[in-house]
Amino acid sequence: MPQHFLHLADVPEGTLYQLLDMAQRLKRNRKREQVAEGKSIGLLFFNASLRTRTSMDIAAYELGAHALTLDVGKGVWPLEWQDSVIMDGIAAEHIRDAIPVLSRYFHALGVRVFPRFKNYEEDSTDWAIHRIAELSSIPVINLESAFDHPCQALGDLMTIREHVVIPRKKKFVLTWAYHPRALPMSVPNAALIAAARSGMDVVVARPEGFELDERVMEQARSFCERLGSRLEETSNRTEAFEGAHVIYAKSWASRLIYESVDEEARLREMYRDWIVTMDLMKLTDKAIFMHCLPIRRGVVVEEAVLESPFARHIEQAENRLHVQKALLRWIWGDR
Ligand code: CP
């Protein structure tokens, strides 16, 4: 079985800290090495990206490897997912053929595949990324799936470790924010697991109707319990922000979207005031402000917050490069 990297929750404690320590060393001494000379990685994108595609490409380059980005449907054939189907539609190739072929070319495959928002069971079990992993004979790296974004989580954990002195029992707040579009639950799920694994007390602040999946909450709760910290949920932002050490903002769709796209949009519109403001940040204990990016200024967060000393979103994005370099080295056996 190839060594896939699909979920941060599945990474053993020892490996996790080995990866973070290696990323920190690589950040301190950034240079081009030849440790992965002759290796190549395919980056299969079903959806758009700025940071992930760039940082993975540069990560491979700085290790002496080669990365090739493949945009499905744009230069790469549209792909069919459904088994035993008559392929007389748009899709020219089946993933059952495409993934084994790519497995013959590359030494690892990064995949970004967002939710379809049609079937909650499929999305919440991350069916698509798992299907690709099953079909692949090389390691698959999850570059954001329907329900997880483990590379983001790894970078987030690195950022927390850099800025929060002794994270254990410090207060991490994951706050829902308004967004004009219904967004996946992948990043909030991943941030929740990263925070829980950091040993911080975690608060999820969200309006009614925007609860995260109970299975992900339970996973986070069990990491918190193991580390002696707590996980709470609230719809009171003032209480949530008070005394916080990390504010992590993110929008995500209500689960209502699986029943009615219009109803979900109407519910989301009711919470346009869920924007991270300077006034809210002033309630914190000099918290750092985190966001995975891209971020809509004046919608998710006041511009002043992003231009203030609270903001760490640019370093957070930079850390994606360092953790992914560490991850590629680990996947390719340089441990
Ligand atoms: N945070 C993140 O994954 O950014 P991109 O969507 O631009 O890759």
Side-chain angles (χ1 to χ4, degrees), residues 27 155 159 162-163 311-320:
K27 185 175 184 176
T159 310
E162 284 178 330
H163 292 287
R312 291 291 181 278
H313 58 294
I314 303 295
E315 284 162 76
Q316 190 185 348
E318 181 197 326
N319 285 342
R320 292 287 304 279

Side-chain angles (χ1 to χ4, degrees), residues 9-35:
D10 297 340
V11 179
E13 198 83 356
T15 306
L16 182 59
Y17 287 98
Q18 200 183 330
L19 283 171
L20 291 170
D21 290 344
M22 193 196 292
Q24 209 71 61
R25 281 198 302 278
L26 293 168
K27 185 175 184 176
R28 272 197 300 272
N29 186 20
R30 187 173 167 188
K31 60 180 179 194
R32 183 156 198 241
E33 302 170 280
Q34 297 298 335
V35 290

Side-chain angles (χ1 to χ4, degrees), residues 25 30 48 50 111 113 169 177 217 229 245 248-249 275 304 320:
R25 281 198 302 278
R30 187 173 167 188
L50 184 148
V111 180
V113 56
K169 303 292 288 170
M217 290 292 287
S229 58
H245 300 92
Y248 196 116
I275 172 171
R320 292 287 304 279

Side-chain angles (χ1 to χ4, degrees), residues 48-53 112 144 149 152 292-294 320:
S49 159
L50 184 148
R51 277 142 293 277
T52 305
R53 65 193 302 154
R112 165 164 291 192
E144 191 172 354
H149 195 350
Q152 182 67 50
C292 64
L293 304 180
R320 292 287 304 279

